[in-house]
Amino acid sequence: MWNSPARWGDTRGIEALLPAVVHGADGTTAVETSIRRDAYRDVVAGDLSAEDALTAAATQRTVIAGALDEPSPAVGWHALPSWFVIATRDRLISPAAQRSMALRAGAETVEIDASHAVCRSRPAEVAEVIATAARAAA
């Protein structure tokens, strides 16, 4: 897996995963995963208040586990300019992995001292990166 935390020496994100088998109406099964509530603040939302992290943990959406390892059939960064916010205190996807992905995409990068929940904890800074990208693409 390209962004596997273990590849970058950090296994907290993997250890915090809570897999569950789900059954589809058509008889198929899949594994969905979420982040354990007791690990959520440490791994995902270390810079949110305890109350906000608890709310985020309780309302998180699951993801089909295969989506974490499935290659994208088409990627925009081959032909389009890209921007990447690197959350330097992210414990789910290590900053080293983020830097590697940004470099691979040839992205303009902005590092923000924040957790994985950077959009929630530092919304003005993330919005400025988006505005900068929009102005550059116009």
Side-chain angles (χ1 to χ4, degrees):
M1 188 165 32
W2 173 255
N3 64 354
S4 170
R7 176 178 181 205
W8 304 97
D10 189 349
T11 60
R12 284 177 285 203
I14 292 171
E15 293 163 2
L17 293 177
L18 182 62
V21 176
V22 293
H23 302 278
D26 61 357
T28 60
T29 61
V31 175
E32 290 187 348
T33 190
S34 59
I35 304 296
R36 288 189 347 260
R37 287 184 185 187
D38 65 317
Y40 194 91
R41 187 169 190 209
D42 178 53
V43 173
V44 177
D47 51 355
L48 297 183
S49 70
E51 182 179 355
D52 284 349
L54 183 61
T55 299
T59 59
Q60 68 181 300
R61 299 286 306 259
T62 59
V63 63
I64 297 291
L68 301 174
D69 206 21
E70 184 177 312
S72 178
V75 292
W77 52 262
H78 282 292
L80 300 171
S82 301
W83 282 259
F84 202 112
V85 170
I86 296 169
T88 61
R89 289 191 287 143
D90 195 330
R91 293 182 174 169
L92 188 60
I93 302 173
S94 76
Q98 293 175 56
R99 287 182 191 103
S100 179
M101 289 183 276
L103 180 66
R104 182 176 181 215
E108 296 289 329
T109 60
V110 175
E111 296 202 8
I112 299 176
D113 183 31
S115 71
H116 190 76
V118 62
C119 292
R120 181 85 187 266
S121 65
R122 307 291 284 274
E125 290 171 71
V126 173
E128 182 55 36
V129 174
I130 294 168
T132 299
R135 284 189 298 273

